[in-house]
Amino acid sequence: MISLKTGLKQMTGGAAAALGVALAALGSAPAAADDTRYDNRVAVFSALDKVTATIKTLEVAIGETVQFGALKVTPRVCYSRPPTEPPKTTSFVEVDEVQLDGNEKRIFTGWMFAQSPGLNAVEHPVFDVWLTDCQKPRNSIAQQQPGPPTVEGQAPDAGAVDPGDDNPAETQRRRVRR
């Protein structure tokens, strides 16, 4: 059996250099996938009223509370991963039930997983609530194209279209505060 050192000595200079570069690239490659996650500002739930068979989508800001029937749903965090990673959407949620006497009783506290809604489900005889998505990442930057220069004190022309733009309908719009 030939050792790596002997094999490299027998190769031509260019082939040995190419092999060395390839081995160096393999050595610097990460061993595991990047565990990047997005911290989102909105958690999206689906809620089912079993009596009326009504399904409603609830978009709840983190830290806010929304009521569905007798349940109050409060997401504390909502994490998702970039589209290049395997999906993993999780949220830490607190669910309270408003009882007939007006008191609130905590019926669920824990993590919900969008890919496995039955894993940690809200157990209630009348209502089901499960996580479906997270929206509005906090730690991502929207890519914006710089617009044409405007004259100071004059609002940009809303109907102006970049002549190099193939599809003006897909051009990103910005709101201007006045």
Side-chain angles (χ1 to χ4, degrees), residues 6-97:
T6 307
L8 286 176
K9 285 181 182 178
Q10 293 176 351
M11 297 176 107
T12 62
L19 181 61
V21 169
L23 289 174
L26 285 175
S28 66
D34 185 19
D35 196 24
T36 303
R37 70 177 182 193
Y38 294 137
D39 186 11
N40 297 279
R41 293 180 283 185
V42 175
V44 182
F45 299 92
S46 286
L48 169 67
D49 183 339
K50 297 175 188 176
V51 174
T52 63
T54 304
I55 297 177
K56 185 175 181 184
T57 299
L58 308 173
E59 293 184 6
V60 188
I62 301 302
E64 300 291 321
T65 301
V66 69
Q67 187 163 351
F68 178 74
L71 299 184
K72 288 187 172 184
V73 180
T74 307
R76 297 299 178 190
V77 294
C78 196
Y79 298 128
S80 59
R81 293 171 85 182
T84 57
E85 297 287 324
K88 185 177 177 184
T89 303
T90 58
S91 181
F92 188 81
V93 184
E94 298 172 347
V95 180
D96 298 321
E97 178 184 19

Side-chain angles (χ1 to χ4, degrees), residues 119-140:
L119 189 60
N120 286 344
V122 174
E123 307 233 352
H124 191 271
V126 180
F127 303 103
D128 282 344
V129 177
W130 64 95
L131 178 69
T132 58
D133 196 12
C134 293
Q135 295 179 347
K136 300 183 183 176
R138 290 178 199 218
N139 54 353
S140 70

